[in-house]
Amino acid sequence: MAVAARRLDRLEALVSRLESEGHCALAHRTDVTELSDVEALVSATNKEFGRIDIFVNNAGTMPASPIIDRRISDWKRMVDVNVNGVLHGIGAVLPTMLGQGSGHIVMIGSIAGRRPFPGGTVYAATKFAVRALSWGLHLELGAAHGIRVTDIQPGQVATELYEGVPHGPYKDAWDKAWEGKRRLQPQDVADTVLFAVTSPEHMAVSELLVRPLDQPN
Ligand SMILES: NC(=O)c1ccc[n+]([C@@H]2O[C@H](COP(=O)([O-])OP(=O)(O)OC[C@H]3O[C@@H](n4cnc5c(N)ncnc54)[C@H](OP(=O)(O)O)[C@@H]3O)[C@@H](O)[C@H]2O)c1
């Protein structure tokens, strides 16, 4: 397994944990907004493991804010990471999977890819894009090339994603709305990914929406 992100110290800690559990793992510093980084990740993974069966397009960012605040650099950042980063992943891994005649691309979309929420308009647009890409990839890569594609669409998960929401009344209202409620845990999403990638080969688990029971929207 190869793990990739920008913070190498965290990746290396994860690799140590995986190795202590008996797994082979590789840490690769990668910024998904740089195509060359993602290509280097694919190349290092192929060198180490000889093939790539599953590619999880997970990196994302959500500096959500009311559209009238016009935080245009945040809008562009979301498009860059959540859309261009995902495109870089697809573009980089495709030659390997086409060569193998098999593979599974997992996208981490969002419930926001089905329905926008106030303050999350641009974020939702990026996740609508992820959903459209996933659907289109199935049409182009499924029957013709044996490549499966899954768009996992979580609701609220307790992660660092919310630290990217700018401080202010919008974030305060959000935090208040979730006080005392149970969010999903990262393990819940990981289990959903596992369900998709271990499904029988003739089966395309195309979309999975998972949200906390406590999520009212
Ligand atoms: N949390 C939720 O409620 C929720 C709900 C629906 C969907 N999602 C989606 O789930 C995915 C994972 O988010 P999360 O909730 O786990 O958020 P998170 O805790 O903020 O994690 C984001 C991950 O993406 C990596 N990342 C961010 N920018 C990157 C870049 N430019 N290049 C490479 N890696 C980058 C981060 O590592 P580095 O910072 O070290 O690069 C980190 O590992 C995202 O696509 C998000 O949109 C989350």
Side-chain angles (χ1 to χ4, degrees):
M1 176 193 306
V3 291
R6 293 163 303 171
R7 285 169 291 180
L8 193 55
D9 53 334
R10 288 197 175 197
L11 297 175
E12 285 173 345
L14 177 57
V15 163
S16 299
R17 209 181 85 204
L18 289 165
E19 286 176 343
S20 73
E21 291 167 4
H23 305 289
C24 289
L26 167 77
H28 198 277
R29 207 212 73 85
T30 308
D31 182 337
V32 297
T33 65
E34 299 291 336
L35 175 61
S36 56
D37 275 18
V38 189
E39 286 176 334
L41 162 69
V42 165
S43 155
T45 308
N46 272 322
K47 195 164 164 219
E48 183 75 15
F49 300 107
R51 56 186 294 117
I52 299 178
D53 295 310
I54 300 163
F55 186 93
V56 183
N57 245 330
N58 173 67
T61 188
M62 190 189 69
S65 60
I67 206 83
I68 57 172
D69 290 355
R70 298 180 68 254
R71 296 180 66 99
I72 295 168
S73 62
D74 284 349
W75 301 352
K76 288 184 170 177
R77 181 76 192 153
M78 282 187 273
V79 171
D80 218 19
V81 177
N82 303 0
V83 181
N84 290 330
V86 162
L87 290 173
H88 291 161
I90 295 164
V93 83
L94 256 187
T96 301
M97 290 188 173
L98 289 171
Q100 294 169 177
S102 69
H104 196 146
I105 299 174
V106 178
M107 313 279 238
I108 307 299
S110 171
I111 188 173
R114 292 179 180 228
R115 191 178 50 195
F117 58 94
T121 299
V122 177
Y123 177 74
T126 67
K127 295 302 187 177
F128 268 69
V130 167
R131 192 177 186 203
L133 285 167
S134 304
W135 199 289
L137 289 179
H138 169 75
L139 302 183
E140 295 202 45
L141 301 175
H145 298 286
I147 298 172
R148 301 198 290 171
V149 182
T150 301
D151 180 17
I152 307 279
Q153 301 160 348
Q156 295 249 344
V157 191
T159 69
E160 293 173 5
L161 193 75
Y162 299 91
E163 290 173 17
V165 178
H167 288 281
Y170 176 77
K171 187 172 194 303
D172 293 344
W174 189 326
D175 291 342
K176 199 164 172 14
W178 273 89
E179 253 170 31
K181 292 189 179 152
R182 295 161 301 174
R183 301 179 192 214
L184 296 180
Q185 295 300 313
Q187 185 66 49
D188 299 322
V189 179
D191 289 344
T192 311
V193 172
L194 197 61
F195 168 76
V197 300
T198 55
S199 63
E201 269 181 30
H202 67 277
M203 183 168 150
V205 181
S206 300
E207 299 193 1
L208 281 172
L209 168 64
V210 285
R211 60 184 158 188
L213 191 61
D214 288 350
Q215 184 159 348
N217 59 324

